[in-house]
Amino acid sequence: MPVPSNNNPPQQGVLASPYVRRVLLVAALWLGGFTLMCVTGWLAVAHSSSQDSWGMLAFRWVFPVIGAVILLYGIVLLNKPIGNVWENFEASSDDEDADEIVSNMDGR
């Protein structure tokens, strides 16, 4: 009975997987969005004045709103499917060995 060869292609690195890239992107978006919302939101509250004009008030809310949009985009990417990744599942050169092993399986 022939032993199947293990001719797996060399790994390209940790970031080669689209799943790892997506998780890192979502984590960066969440961290950036929360940081932008919290830091600029706190600064908008701590340094506000009742004498501020409407333009200044709107400007103080620009960065927390941008942080919220970034955070929501991270949530959208988290819920979005990645799709089929076929380059890892391509047929290899030892298909003949696998066909022979499967054909020889008779339950004994």
Side-chain angles (χ1 to χ4, degrees), residues 5 12 18 21 23 26 28-29 33 41 49 57 61 71 84 94 102-103:
S5 63
Q12 298 174 355
R21 287 192 304 260
V23 166
V26 167
L29 288 171
S49 171
L57 183 65
W61 279 98
L71 182 66
N84 294 333
D94 61 343
V102 171
S103 66

Side-chain angles (χ1 to χ4, degrees), residues 10 20-21 36-37 47 50 54 70 99 105:
V20 172
R21 287 192 304 260
L36 196 58
M37 279 188 342
H47 298 292
S50 61
W54 286 103
I70 290 172
D99 290 339
M105 291 179 147

Side-chain angles (χ1 to χ4, degrees), residues 4-82:
S5 63
N6 190 5
N7 292 332
N8 292 334
Q11 295 294 324
Q12 298 174 355
V14 175
L15 295 178
S17 171
Y19 301 104
V20 172
R21 287 192 304 260
R22 175 69 61 89
V23 166
L24 291 176
L25 178 63
V26 167
L29 288 171
W30 281 13
L31 181 67
F34 273 124
T35 302
L36 196 58
M37 279 188 342
C38 292
V39 170
T40 60
W42 173 254
L43 290 175
V45 170
H47 298 292
S48 65
S49 171
S50 61
Q51 308 297 326
D52 286 344
S53 66
W54 286 103
M56 186 55 135
L57 183 65
F59 179 72
R60 288 186 191 278
W61 279 98
V62 167
F63 296 107
V65 169
I66 290 173
V69 169
I70 290 172
L71 182 66
L72 289 175
Y73 184 64
I75 292 171
V76 168
L77 278 183
L78 185 65
N79 292 324
K80 185 178 174 185
I82 291 180

